[in-house]
Amino acid sequence: MKHFCLFLLLAFVTTVSFCIDTVRHEVLLQTSEGDIVISLYNETPHHRDNFLKLVKSGWYDGQLFHRAIKGFMIQTGDSASRHAKPGQTLGVSAETYTIPAEIRYPQFFHKCGAVAAAREGDSSNPQRASSMSQFYIVYGQRYSDTSLDKVQIMLNKSTGGKVKFTPEIRDVYKIKGGAPSLDGQYTVFGEVLRGIDVVQTIQNSETDSNNRPLKDVRIIKATVIK
């Protein structure tokens, strides 16, 4: 009986192994400012699968980038933005579910071009579960060793000392830039393969007091291309 159970277990494991997704899926965002191609990480499967599902359903088609902060990031994913009036506050629409956090630091961090899930704050969301649809793309800025030391002190407080910059990560932030203050607190689930110049253009937008671009920047269509 023991051998029979073991055989069934091995058979199950073998069967499951054939179902693991090894393709690095890519999504094309055709925006009013140009095209952005995103690669999704298989190491964050819940976020990957949710994003692919929403893209295939047309969820992001017609939505605005409702937040743009120069030297930081751009954000989208609020369905109310499709038909938003000028000056309307966005990013606060009710959502029907959240995604469990899949924070894979230091493997994935907030380098320039990182794609990550937005979420509610720690006070109401201590598990750091992600928004069902809102995500942001980091543009950020370059950091010196001195400024990274200051960010590290902040992270020690916000993460209980669990997030430490490795020498390799420090080099990325010094050479390519990013948003290190977010590390270890939000799920990074992909990165920009092409179109970082488009991200740069959008994050430079003139905005209102809620960081919404005064000139609408829209996702015309989102498509899974790989």
Side-chain angles (χ1 to χ4, degrees):
M1 180 64 72
K2 290 182 180 179
H3 291 295
F4 179 67
C5 290
L6 179 60
F7 173 76
L8 288 178
L9 176 61
L10 290 174
F12 175 74
V13 171
T14 302
T15 302
V16 170
S17 67
F18 286 106
C19 299
I20 296 174
D21 194 343
T22 59
V23 174
R24 281 283 193 194
H25 292 282
E26 297 176 9
V27 171
L28 167 64
L29 302 180
Q30 295 172 277
T31 83
S32 53
E33 295 294 336
D35 293 349
I36 302 170
V37 176
I38 294 171
S39 174
L40 304 178
Y41 297 146
N42 292 329
E43 294 85 346
T44 53
H46 296 297
H47 286 72
R48 175 201 63 199
D49 292 349
N50 182 72
F51 194 70
L52 290 172
K53 178 191 72 174
L54 292 177
V55 169
K56 291 175 181 178
S57 73
W59 175 272
Y60 293 108
D61 297 353
Q63 290 193 21
L64 300 178
F65 282 96
H66 63 266
R67 290 184 72 202
I69 303 176
K70 186 175 182 179
F72 188 33
M73 61 89 205
I74 60 176
Q75 183 171 331
T76 187
D78 183 354
S79 61
S81 68
R82 288 193 191 90
H83 308 293
K85 298 178 180 179
Q88 179 180 335
T89 299
L90 297 171
V92 294
S93 298
E95 299 183 349
T96 55
Y97 63 89
T98 58
I99 309 168
E102 295 179 295
I103 299 170
R104 300 287 184 261
Y105 185 88
Q107 183 178 12
F108 304 129
F109 55 99
H110 286 79
K111 64 184 179 181
C112 179
V115 179
R119 65 173 178 83
E120 295 290 337
D122 288 355
S123 59
S124 61
N125 179 28
Q127 300 303 315
R128 294 172 172 166
S130 299
S131 160
M132 62 168 275
S133 60
Q134 291 195 46
F135 69 95
Y136 58 93
I137 304 175
V138 174
Y139 190 76
Q141 55 186 296
R142 287 193 291 271
Y143 285 74
S144 65
D145 278 319
T146 300
S147 57
L148 284 172
D149 290 342
K150 293 179 180 178
V151 175
Q152 182 66 75
I153 293 172
M154 294 170 55
L155 285 175
N156 290 341
K157 296 179 180 179
S158 59
T159 69
K162 295 179 180 179
V163 173
K164 300 290 186 182
F165 296 137
T166 65
E168 294 77 14
I169 289 175
R170 291 178 73 98
D171 284 345
V172 172
Y173 283 135
K174 289 189 290 184
I175 297 169
K176 295 185 177 180
S181 63
L182 302 179
D183 282 347
Q185 301 164 86
Y186 296 80
T187 297
V188 177
F189 64 92
E191 63 182 89
V192 172
L193 290 182
R194 297 185 296 278
I196 196 63
D197 56 321
V198 178
V199 177
Q200 180 184 30
T201 297
I202 298 172
Q203 61 102 37
N204 276 325
S205 298
E206 185 178 357
T207 60
D208 62 18
S209 59
N210 291 315
N211 299 309
R212 175 181 166 181
L214 296 178
K215 173 189 174 185
D216 285 347
V217 181
R218 194 175 300 278
I219 297 175
I220 299 167
K221 187 171 182 59
T223 309
V224 178
I225 58 176
K226 181 178 178 181

